[in-house]
Amino acid sequence: MKPGIFICCCGDNISGKIDLEKLKRSVSEDVKFIDETPYLCSNEGMEHIIAKIKSEKPEGIVIAACSPKMHEKRFRRCAERADLNQYMMDVANIREQCAWVNKDSNPTVRAIDIVNSSINAVRNSIGLKKVQLPITKSALMVGGGISGITAALSLAKHGIRVYLVEKSASIGGNMVKIGKVFSADTLSEECAMCSLGPLISEVGENPNIEVITNAEVSGLSGHMGKYSVKIQTDPEMINGEKCTSCGICSEICNIDVLDEFNFNLTFRNAAYKPFPGALPSSYSIDSNACIKCGKCVEACPADAINLESVPKNIELNVGAIVLATGYSELNPEQIEEFGYKKIEGVITQMELARILAVNGPTSGKLISPLTGKKPKSIVMIQCVGSRDRKPGSIPQCSTICCMTALKHSNYIINHSKGTDIYICYTDMRTLGTYENYYFETQKKGEKSLRFIRGKVAQVKKVNNEKLLARVEDTLGGGVTDIEADMIVLSSALLPSDTISSVQEATGVGLTEEKFVKEKNSKMDPTQTTIPGIFVSGTAKGAMDITESINMSRSAASRVSEMLTQEFIEIEPKFPVLNQGECNQCLKCLEQCPSNAIYLDECVEVDPVACTGCGYCVAQCERQALSLPLYSDQVIQARIDGVLKMGNPSILTFLDEKIAYTAADSMGSNRLNYPKDVRIIKIPSILRLEVKHLLYGFNKGAKGIFLGDGTANASDKIMEEKLTKKVQELIDGVSAEGIDPSRIYYYQANLPHYKGLANKLKEFSSLLEKID
Amino acid sequence: MDQRTKTESHYLFKSCTAGSIYPGIELSTQYVLDALKLNWVNDPRQSSCTGSGVHLGVVPMETNMALNARNLSLAGETDSEIICICPMSYTNLKHCQKLISKDNKLENNYKKIMDEIGLIYDIKPDVYHVSDLFLKHEDEIVEKTCEFSSNIKVATHHGCHYSKFFFKDVSSGTFEHPTVLDEILVSVGFEVVGYDEQFLCCGGGLHRYMADKEYSKNTFKEKFISLAKVKPDFIVTQCPGCTFNIDYLQENVLEELKMENSIPVLNIAELLALLLGAQPETIGLDMHAVDLEPLLKKLGLRRGNK
Amino acid sequence: MGTNYKISEKRFVRRITLDGRDESLKDLRFKKSGFKKCIQCGRCTGSCPTTVIHKEFNPRDMMRRFMFEDIHSDHVNEIIWKCGQCYSCRARCPRNCKAGLGVIALQHKSYEDGKAPKNIVEIGEKIRSNLYSKGETITPESYYLNLKEEFGKKTAERCSDNPTKREKLGFKSDDAREIPIPEDALDEVRYLMRLTGFKETNDGSEN
Ligand code: SF4
Ligand code: SF4
Ligand code: SF4
Ligand code: SF4
């Protein structure tokens, strides 16, 4: 088969550096036609390609132009439109990786090798098809706080069925506890429950939403578009259908449990309803606290209680998942200098929120736990556990605590005359219009509110009657001890505990602080490391209510985009298994770094989860697995092509995501690197086998450079596999009598192009020393 | 070199301050190590960690690093981990180790220099304070401790140079409130009392006293007021320098504060040596400034009773 | 001044000029103080035992001076000696800085330039010569102060006999070590000291 060649001049970016006539001459015998166009990527260029394919009917084409990272997808579409299989096309990167390389005295030599490599690859390619997968049109929402509620409602309105799974006895999350929310528009504090209540009822009324409380995700299988999720619920001792919410069980129960709704400042009973307006509205029994005395069973007029019920396992089929597991406030106990839990009167902002709430432990009266009276002076300590690189703290800004401190100050100024407040801050972070609220609070606090710029160093108690916060007033007041009878710690926002079990069940990637990681937080927010699983709200990081709502809507829109399609289309970049050869040894299954291989009746590859790294191919002793896009034939053909002209080359295998991008950047930044470097793009070094390297050496390569950036994944698995793979390659090659120093491995954690150029130079000079 | 076998071995890093003012601390440490049947090396070739000079600004960083590269390599040669008597040595050795090993240029330079003095460069040995080791062998210590009176209250002071510079490496508790000594003391049977100014510096050792008496005296005074409030029977320290400060500065401070009772001070090694059967004279307890006799009586150690 | 600052005589304005900054202190410890990461939050100052005694000195202010290379004035030369080297500043710093480490870099520069206070020069000479002649910084001699004057009558009574007691315990009267450092090992130490800028000679004095 002879492919047709399209050469792009790219203005004179390419033609100004490379002698195109010479290039054409030297490849002419292997091709059906050679075409030269000023700009292939222009609309005219594209139409030209289509027309030319239609008239000449080549079985494959090579496009010698800029990096495939630029226009490969568009060129593929051209091929399809001209009725040529889109995988019978290869891009020869003669711009970034040839014409743009600085101080290359003869780029034409390199260009010829690159084009030859592509010609060979196309000649050995087979036409492939994208796969289409069916979709389950329902979604799972993990977490029933403001974020989960918003996303669920939004999806339900798009006609998608939603399961809303919540760990506690009611949906509502942290927002029901905080009492007041600030409004930057009306410059006032509003009742949180008044805004949230209607949404909670709407969830209850929407027929498309099924709320499952006291429940956690315990397992996950399947893939994007078709997940099967295991949910485990606590024993449902009170039958929600029968319960009339009369509350008699709670009255009769005398087991005291710390009330999480009041941040453990008060007690509730084992039979309880978390708060008025909870959803579901039925009562629950806390199975961890209940002693099964049976009093409530007798008392219940609706006969709704069964103490012997057991945990339930539910299986749900969904097409997509949104993680909205929310946050919990950092427990500042471990930051011992603030004396939390050791010194009476030191509380957190969340606890203050409960104290200020009308339905809180003091019915909204501001009372200091130290004196039992209205505090004379409150010190608020900002950035507790945030913006701090000490163990137990997190380095990020928690973004909401400056506003929380202002909100509480504002409220106290209005409702508690005679209480002074000192806010000790590092920076006041009140972005955008929030600055107005800051300004307003300052004005209102003219008498009682003062700001001190300094991070408090320590809190002490003096003679059991007052507290002392030591801070440097960095704006000139010097070291200052502030007397107070209440100290409020603006404690950091951490991901809620639930995330650990969710992570275990789903394998979703987390940051060091255990927030859910976004795969590309800049260009693709809400997308987690797993296709089909999204994140919204504070599960992703600190944010306020408005931002949570925004993000939830955005996640919901991503989900509905996906679930309203007919099917999901996947590139054929995954391995194909020849079932006739497979003896179910399961080596591939055990070794796949993405857990993409599973055993049903026979061994199957999940095309969605597969990253196409190719590691499994070499694991299979019966050669049952192959990776069509990067088959042995294609890899060898590329090597053949590159070495065809007999130049003493350094075969440079780079992973397509990171290292290959770095190589492009070397060109676009006009760096210089050794003229012998010949780059071959592969999915990952994991795809390579000893035989490929030996093949290269036998064909005359003087050295082989391996560059891979996929090791920089959230877990250590890729790094381990890569290290093992490289060692295997080196050992295998040296067993055949080849000097192992002719192989060089570079772990390219980032697309750091200067680093790559330096490594290439280093390797080249090492090779010179050997020769 | 005393012993060299394959079992875990400890390179005892001696302290200038201890050796000069409280030779008993060094002897006590040796006593405890022997009582625990630990393998340890007493290498006379060791030099000072130069901390007393470094922290007064009179010794350059280069000298600090060169001498400690040598000290570390000496320990490397004996295949031992280093246990320091003085927290200042602990911090200085660790600091030099970290600076050098993180910087290729420095590493090559000190490799070359060690070569010039005929030493194999090996700065890898782990560095600990002796109290870390005591804590590790807590159970054996408890087992071997003589009986003594109950209801004795102790307050502890951990050296700043132990807990604050390499704050992540505190082996029990946190930098804010280290509990290495507390843990050992509680398990041998003392009651440990907390006090407000746990975190505060004691005022520094002899070199600090000579450089800035005002700092030493004032800081110690604040510390002492807080300590005296909780009325401990004695104070246990980790560092020979702190021992000096808390011991020697008491008389004047008591006078100034018009207070009667002095509080005896023992270094953790001295205390453990006593509990493990050492005679007070053999570990130089009579060299302390605050009389230890009343405390010894109160302790009522019954030697060999366990 | 040696920096790109000018302070006008007539108006209280600090001007940061276009002249570019001076090269900062070479001492490794200066850089390792981490002043570039400092956010001036003042936690160090709130934790520093010196600040409550000497109000001119505070670690946050030192860090600010490091950033702007405001480290050459007589005032700075005076206050740097107040730091007690306790590293409380480092322990609580949210950015893991070490103000105290930068301070000793400045102290050392001042000492080398002959600007250190008299008592520091005296102790410095002692410590350096001890190091050169015995491989130790502190020796028993360093401790032979006028005990009564320094620490009080009782302490003097109890401790004046300590030199004899230490000998009974098997320690030399003029050496901190039970077994003094061997001559060849000491030669190594001296070699390293000379290599790193010491000018002391074998008899312990500076030449
Ligand atoms: S929001 Fe304010 S208080 Fe909270 S971490 Fe950020 S700067 Fe600190
Ligand atoms: S190609 Fe890689 S990710 Fe895909 S199944 Fe094979 S080993 Fe797993
Ligand atoms: S504590 Fe750290 S960051 Fe804050 S002012 Fe001091 S050195 Fe700077
Ligand atoms: S090291 Fe110096 S600056 Fe830092 S806290 Fe101690 S005395 Fe203050």
Side-chain angles (χ1 to χ4, degrees):
Chain A
M1 178 261 256
K2 289 189 177 183
I5 312 280
F6 293 91
I7 299 176
C8 177
C9 301
C10 194
D12 70 345
N13 268 306
I14 292 173
S15 50
K17 282 279 166 93
I18 295 168
D19 180 345
L20 293 185
E21 290 315 313
K22 192 166 167 204
L23 171 63
K24 286 183 197 164
R25 246 178 288 129
S26 81
V27 302
S28 61
E29 48 184 73
D30 292 328
V31 303
K32 185 154 185 162
F33 62 83
I34 303 185
D35 174 278
E36 186 186 315
T37 312
Y39 285 107
L40 277 179
C41 61
S42 65
N43 285 341
E44 294 83 355
M46 298 267 171
E47 292 306 327
H48 170 71
I49 295 175
I50 295 170
K52 184 96 181 167
I53 298 177
K54 280 189 173 160
S55 65
E56 303 262 346
K57 301 212 177 348
E59 286 169 66
I61 54 167
V62 167
I63 297 202
C66 57
S67 167
K69 297 265 165 193
M70 307 296 295
H71 302 299
E72 187 180 47
K73 284 208 175 111
R74 295 175 65 207
F75 291 139
R76 283 202 196 288
R77 248 177 281 135
C78 288
E80 289 280 292
R81 282 174 58 199
D83 295 324
L84 176 68
N85 183 291
Q86 58 170 304
Y87 296 100
M88 294 305 290
M89 193 249 357
D90 197 62
V91 176
N93 183 350
I94 56 168
R95 190 179 75 175
E96 278 82 352
Q97 294 179 6
C98 186
W100 278 356
V101 179
N102 197 16
K103 291 193 205 127
D104 187 346
S105 56
N106 196 351
T108 311
V109 174
R110 200 186 321 232
I112 294 170
D113 288 348
I114 293 175
V115 174
N116 271 331
S117 166
S118 288
I119 294 174
N120 263 8
V122 170
R123 294 175 76 173
N124 284 280
S125 292
I126 43 174
L128 295 168
K129 280 224 150 41
K130 290 192 177 170
V131 274
Q132 297 178 338
L133 300 170
I135 293 174
T136 313
K137 288 199 197 312
S138 59
L140 168 72
M141 198 64 52
V142 187
I146 179 62
S147 172
I149 290 176
T150 310
L153 283 172
S154 159
L155 283 171
K157 285 174 192 166
H158 278 92
I160 292 166
R161 175 140 190 86
V162 184
Y163 302 97
L164 180 52
V165 170
E166 164 61 41
K167 189 176 164 238
S168 62
S170 167
I171 62 166
N174 279 310
M175 192 174 163
V176 291
K177 305 178 190 172
I178 58 174
K180 299 277 176 301
V181 291
F182 61 80
S183 157
D185 298 330
T186 60
L187 301 176
S188 63
E189 303 76 48
E190 288 159 5
C191 158
M193 210 38 206
C194 306
S195 333
L196 187 60
L199 295 179
I200 293 182
S201 338
E202 212 183 319
V203 168
E205 285 152 16
N206 194 312
N208 267 341
I209 303 178
E210 183 178 329
V211 177
I212 309 172
T213 49
N214 287 321
E216 270 187 279
V217 176
S218 60
L220 177 79
S221 57
H223 50 71
M224 169 167 88
K226 195 169 184 269
Y227 279 116
S228 161
V229 194
K230 288 207 180 71
I231 306 287
Q232 198 184 41
T233 67
D234 290 347
E236 194 192 0
M237 297 192 192
I238 299 186
N239 182 334
E241 314 262 283
K242 290 189 189 166
C243 173
T244 60
S245 305
C246 66
I248 292 180
C249 53
S250 178
E251 275 163 34
I252 209 151
C253 176
N254 51 14
I255 301 296
D256 286 339
V257 189
L258 283 174
D259 188 358
E260 54 288 294
F261 176 65
N262 269 335
F263 282 96
N264 299 346
L265 294 171
T266 55
F267 291 92
R268 60 164 167 80
N269 294 328
Y272 71 114
K273 177 170 166 176
F275 57 93
L279 183 97
S281 66
S282 52
Y283 276 68
S284 299
I285 291 178
D286 183 336
S287 60
N288 294 321
C290 170
I291 56 161
K292 305 204 172 173
C293 67
K295 277 193 218 149
C296 56
V297 181
E298 281 167 34
C300 176
D303 198 15
I305 304 180
N306 172 11
L307 297 179
E308 301 313 319
S309 38
V310 287
K312 254 199 303 191
N313 288 306
I314 307 173
E315 199 154 325
L316 302 173
N317 292 317
V318 296
I321 300 173
V322 178
L323 304 178
T325 45
Y327 75 97
S328 60
E329 192 184 37
L330 172 136
N331 176 353
E333 227 171 314
Q334 50 196 329
I335 311 174
E336 291 177 76
E337 53 270 39
F338 295 133
Y340 180 69
K341 288 265 145 103
K342 282 194 206 78
I343 304 179
E344 196 93 49
V346 181
I347 62 171
T348 65
Q349 288 287 8
M350 275 294 209
E351 288 168 344
L352 178 61
R354 285 320 298 150
I355 292 178
L356 295 177
V358 223
N359 57 359
T362 58
S363 308
K365 253 212 197 129
L366 180 61
I367 287 173
S368 159
L370 175 69
T371 56
K373 287 187 249 162
K374 179 161 95 175
K376 290 195 196 108
S377 169
I378 300 177
V379 174
M380 292 192 183
I381 305 180
Q382 297 306 97
C383 303
V384 172
S386 307
R387 306 180 67 194
D388 196 325
R389 275 146 212 275
K390 283 287 181 290
S393 299
I394 56 167
Q396 302 87 321
C397 167
S398 288
T399 69
I400 66 157
C401 15
C402 282
M403 286 302 285
T404 307
L406 289 174
K407 171 182 76 179
H408 287 162
S409 301
N410 223 330
Y411 189 79
I412 292 170
I413 293 165
N414 286 340
H415 293 85
S416 177
K417 298 262 148 10
T419 300
D420 287 339
I421 305 171
Y422 296 88
I423 297 182
C424 299
Y425 67 97
T426 320
D427 299 286
M428 282 308 283
R429 297 194 161 169
T430 54
L431 303 189
T433 51
Y434 291 0
E435 183 73 4
N436 299 344
Y437 190 82
Y438 180 13
F439 183 64
E440 190 65 19
T441 312
Q442 281 180 303
K443 275 201 299 192
K444 279 197 200 145
E446 146 183 39
K447 276 216 189 72
S448 51
L449 174 63
R450 291 295 175 267
F451 292 86
I452 294 183
R453 193 206 169 270
K455 186 163 179 178
V456 171
Q458 62 192 38
V459 170
K460 294 253 151 78
K461 183 153 98 175
V462 204
N463 302 331
N464 269 328
E465 65 198 20
K466 55 186 161 198
L467 307 170
L468 217 51
R470 171 164 296 179
V471 61
E472 182 191 6
D473 174 358
T474 59
L475 301 180
V479 182
T480 308
D481 279 341
I482 317 172
E483 290 185 354
D485 39 13
M486 183 150 159
I487 285 184
V488 184
L489 309 178
S490 290
S491 210
L493 258 64
L494 295 187
S496 80
D497 300 340
T498 339
I499 199 59
S500 306
S501 59
V502 172
Q503 199 267 341
E504 231 169 79
T506 62
V508 73
L510 302 182
T511 67
E512 217 162 285
E513 295 77 32
K514 288 206 156 60
F515 285 114
V516 178
K517 204 175 185 165
E518 288 170 323
K519 201 162 173 213
N520 178 350
S521 59
K522 190 161 192 75
M523 299 308 289
D524 192 8
T526 73
Q527 171 63 64
T528 67
T529 53
I530 300 183
I533 304 188
F534 301 90
V535 59
S536 76
T538 45
K540 182 248 153 178
M543 63 182 74
D544 71 4
I545 292 170
T546 312
E547 208 182 326
S548 270
I549 292 175
N550 271 334
M551 190 175 180
S552 311
R553 293 239 163 93
S554 143
S557 130
R558 293 294 307 277
V559 171
S560 76
E561 256 168 47
M562 205 178 101
L563 298 189
T564 46
Q565 286 173 62
E566 289 294 305
F567 43 75
I568 299 172
E569 228 180 22
I570 310 274
E571 292 240 17
K573 59 178 177 39
F574 52 89
V576 177
L577 177 64
N578 177 351
Q579 296 290 359
E581 282 301 318
C582 174
N583 64 357
Q584 305 208 347
C585 71
L586 303 188
K587 276 221 184 80
C588 55
L589 187 151
E590 285 151 20
Q591 293 297 328
C592 170
S594 315
N595 296 323
I597 303 184
Y598 59 99
L599 182 67
D600 229 352
E601 256 140 51
C602 44
V603 175
E604 305 265 10
V605 178
D606 175 351
V608 183
C610 170
T611 57
C613 70
Y615 192 49
C616 53
V617 176
Q619 303 296 322
C620 181
E621 278 163 15
R622 300 176 61 89
Q623 272 121 40
L625 284 158
S626 60
L627 200 63
L629 275 184
Y630 293 96
S631 62
D632 289 345
Q633 291 83 329
V634 170
I635 294 178
Q636 283 170 1
R638 285 191 194 271
I639 296 174
D640 278 337
V642 150
L643 298 174
K644 186 175 173 200
M645 308 304 286
N647 297 315
S649 301
I650 301 174
L651 287 183
T652 303
F653 291 100
L654 301 179
D655 84 275
E656 58 190 359
K657 288 202 194 75
I658 309 284
Y660 192 83
T661 308
D664 278 350
S665 310
M666 291 194 299
S668 37
N669 287 287
R670 305 301 195 276
L671 293 192
N672 158 260
Y673 55 89
K675 66 176 192 330
D676 306 333
V677 169
R678 295 291 178 274
I679 294 169
I680 297 180
K681 180 172 70 130
I682 48 169
S684 158
I685 297 302
L686 293 179
R687 167 66 190 107
L688 290 179
E689 297 172 52
V690 175
K691 65 179 178 204
H692 302 140
L693 270 54
L694 288 175
Y695 189 84
F697 282 122
N698 286 339
K699 291 279 167 167
K702 64 174 176 177
I704 296 185
F705 184 98
L706 310 171
D708 201 310
T710 46
N712 192 27
S714 53
D715 46 25
K716 286 263 170 272
I717 294 179
M718 276 310 264
E719 195 173 343
E720 277 164 28
K721 302 252 180 231
L722 273 167
T723 319
K724 207 174 121 208
K725 173 58 97 182
V726 170
Q727 198 52 49
E728 203 180 288
L729 292 175
I730 291 177
D731 292 348
V733 165
S734 42
E736 294 296 318
I738 290 169
D739 184 351
S741 44
R742 290 188 182 276
I743 301 180
Y744 191 105
Y745 173 54
Y746 170 48
Q747 186 175 315
N749 291 330
L750 292 167
H752 174 35
Y753 57 92
K754 280 189 192 145
L756 179 60
N758 286 338
K759 296 289 166 183
L760 286 167
K761 281 184 199 153
E762 190 179 314
F763 184 42
S764 165
S765 62
L766 280 175
L767 286 174
E768 253 155 52
K769 266 183 222 149
I770 304 177
D771 292 328
Chain B
M1 234 130 297
D2 288 348
Q3 292 126 0
R4 281 180 72 173
T5 58
K6 279 282 151 231
T7 52
E8 197 182 35
S9 161
H10 310 279
Y11 188 95
L12 181 63
F13 200 87
K14 295 170 297 280
S15 145
C16 302
T17 306
S20 300
I21 311 174
Y22 298 103
I25 293 181
E26 192 178 315
L27 295 175
S28 304
T29 310
Q30 299 183 6
Y31 184 94
V32 178
L33 295 175
D34 284 339
L36 296 174
K37 303 213 169 51
L38 293 172
N39 223 340
W40 59 280
V41 176
N42 187 359
D43 182 359
R45 296 174 303 166
Q46 170 219 321
S47 80
S48 162
C49 72
T50 74
S52 300
V54 166
H55 295 287
L56 288 178
V58 301
V59 167
M61 195 60 209
E62 291 74 24
T63 313
N64 187 223
M65 288 194 285
L67 291 192
N68 285 330
R70 176 178 175 274
N71 285 328
L72 288 160
S73 298
L74 287 174
E77 197 182 77
T78 65
D79 231 343
S80 319
E81 60 180 37
I82 296 179
I83 45 168
C84 304
I85 290 182
C86 175
M88 189 144 74
S89 316
Y90 165 86
T91 279
N92 273 273
L93 286 166
K94 268 182 119 124
H95 191 217
C96 295
Q97 187 177 48
K98 200 171 145 199
L99 288 178
I100 299 172
S101 56
K102 276 202 167 169
D103 182 329
N104 260 337
K105 253 200 220 140
L106 288 178
E107 182 130 54
N108 288 335
N109 181 35
Y110 288 105
K111 252 182 211 151
K112 200 183 103 230
I113 295 179
M114 288 308 112
D115 200 46
E116 282 164 21
I117 58 169
L119 202 62
I120 296 169
Y121 170 89
D122 172 10
I123 64 163
K124 292 240 174 50
D126 289 333
V127 181
Y128 299 100
H129 182 257
V130 286
S131 57
D132 293 327
L133 185 69
F134 296 160
L135 180 62
K136 197 167 140 201
H137 293 276
E138 184 180 32
D139 295 341
E140 289 133 273
I141 292 176
V142 172
E143 199 181 299
K144 294 194 165 107
T145 295
C146 320
E147 273 179 39
F148 60 87
S149 331
S150 53
N151 300 331
I152 295 188
K153 291 204 292 186
V154 199
T156 62
H157 170 66
H158 291 78
C160 291
H161 285 207
Y162 173 73
S163 53
K164 292 176 183 162
F165 202 98
F166 288 102
F167 58 84
K168 275 187 200 147
D169 298 343
V170 174
S171 59
S172 166
T174 61
F175 65 83
E176 187 67 32
H177 186 186
T179 50
V180 181
L181 301 178
D182 307 41
E183 230 187 280
I184 302 175
L185 293 172
V186 168
S187 50
V188 295
F190 291 102
E191 182 195 341
V192 173
V193 289
Y195 56 102
D196 273 355
E197 298 292 354
Q198 304 255 23
F199 182 80
L200 183 63
C201 168
C202 70
L206 176 64
H207 67 292
R208 177 64 40 209
Y209 175 79
M210 296 195 300
D212 186 355
K213 292 181 190 172
E214 213 187 325
Y215 174 90
S216 282
K217 287 180 176 169
N218 280 304
T219 310
F220 173 65
K221 192 163 86 190
E222 208 175 323
K223 182 104 187 166
F224 187 74
I225 293 172
S226 173
L227 271 164
K229 248 190 221 157
V230 298
K231 299 200 172 59
D233 290 304
F234 67 112
I235 301 165
V236 173
T237 58
Q238 197 188 25
C239 164
C242 304
T243 313
F244 166 81
N245 224 54
I246 303 178
D247 194 17
Y248 277 74
L249 299 195
Q250 263 196 55
E251 186 176 341
N252 283 336
V253 165
L254 281 170
E255 210 162 282
E256 196 185 320
L257 296 172
K258 304 221 164 33
M259 285 172 32
E260 289 280 300
N261 299 328
S262 53
I263 312 174
V265 198
L266 279 174
N267 180 281
I268 183 71
E270 295 176 320
L271 176 68
L272 293 184
L274 265 182
L275 298 182
L276 296 176
Q279 296 296 331
E281 320 77 65
T282 62
I283 53 169
L285 293 193
D286 50 350
M287 293 173 73
H288 278 236
V290 175
D291 192 359
L292 287 166
E293 269 314 312
L295 172 69
L296 290 175
K297 263 198 209 116
K298 187 159 183 194
L299 270 175
L301 279 169
R302 286 183 284 281
R303 291 204 171 70
N305 265 11
K306 192 157 176 186
Chain C
M1 291 266 292
T3 66
N4 60 337
Y5 302 143
K6 288 198 182 95
I7 297 207
S8 151
E9 307 273 299
K10 292 190 198 102
R11 302 191 333 133
F12 297 107
V13 177
R14 171 176 74 168
R15 174 170 295 193
I16 296 181
T17 68
L18 294 176
D19 298 345
R21 269 190 250 141
D22 264 11
E23 203 174 307
S24 68
L25 224 54
K26 280 252 168 47
D27 197 315
L28 191 56
R29 295 172 288 196
F30 186 63
K31 192 171 123 210
K32 295 280 174 188
S33 69
F35 61 84
K36 285 180 222 138
K37 306 181 287 183
C38 170
I39 48 169
Q40 293 286 299
C41 70
R43 261 204 125 199
C44 47
T45 305
S47 310
C48 171
T50 294
T51 314
V52 296
I53 305 169
H54 303 283
K55 84 168 196 303
E56 315 80 44
F57 175 85
N58 95 50
R60 180 199 47 77
D61 175 59
M62 289 313 300
M63 293 298 258
R64 209 203 83 252
R65 291 176 192 274
F66 296 172
M67 291 174 196
F68 292 92
E69 273 136 61
D70 174 15
I71 51 178
H72 306 284
S73 68
D74 290 347
H75 177 66
V76 171
N77 186 54
E78 200 175 299
I79 58 177
I80 47 175
W81 301 100
K82 306 297 183 197
C83 164
Q85 286 294 303
C86 68
Y87 291 96
S88 303
C89 49
R90 188 257 193 305
R92 284 194 184 142
C93 171
R95 300 230 154 173
N96 294 338
C97 301
K98 308 182 192 81
L101 196 64
V103 171
I104 34 176
L106 260 56
Q107 288 180 346
H108 184 63
K109 175 89 172 41
S110 165
Y111 179 80
E112 297 265 275
D113 294 351
K115 290 189 193 158
K118 218 176 100 233
N119 74 318
I120 297 288
V121 174
E122 273 166 24
I123 312 164
E125 266 162 23
K126 212 77 229 140
I127 285 180
R128 288 165 66 107
S129 84
N130 285 343
L131 199 54
Y132 201 81
S133 56
K134 295 194 174 72
E136 295 153 14
T137 45
I138 305 272
T139 63
E141 238 179 305
S142 331
Y143 153 80
Y144 298 152
L145 309 164
N146 185 334
L147 294 179
K148 189 168 159 216
E149 213 171 82
E150 297 287 348
F151 307 114
K153 207 170 99 227
K154 270 196 241 153
T155 304
E157 268 166 28
R158 283 190 49 80
C159 297
S160 50
D161 224 12
N162 280 359
T164 342
K165 289 182 191 157
R166 70 176 284 116
E167 284 187 59
K168 272 199 207 131
L169 291 175
F171 281 70
K172 303 250 157 9
S173 62
D174 59 350
D175 200 301
R177 300 265 180 269
E178 198 180 6
I179 318 162
I181 187 166
E183 220 21 70
D184 52 340
L186 192 55
D187 280 341
E188 293 171 19
V189 171
R190 288 174 178 154
Y191 175 78
L192 295 178
M193 289 175 66
R194 280 195 304 267
L195 203 65
T196 51
F198 272 71
K199 296 190 187 69
E200 274 82 353
T201 56
N202 273 353
D203 58 27
S205 65
E206 238 178 275
N207 66 358

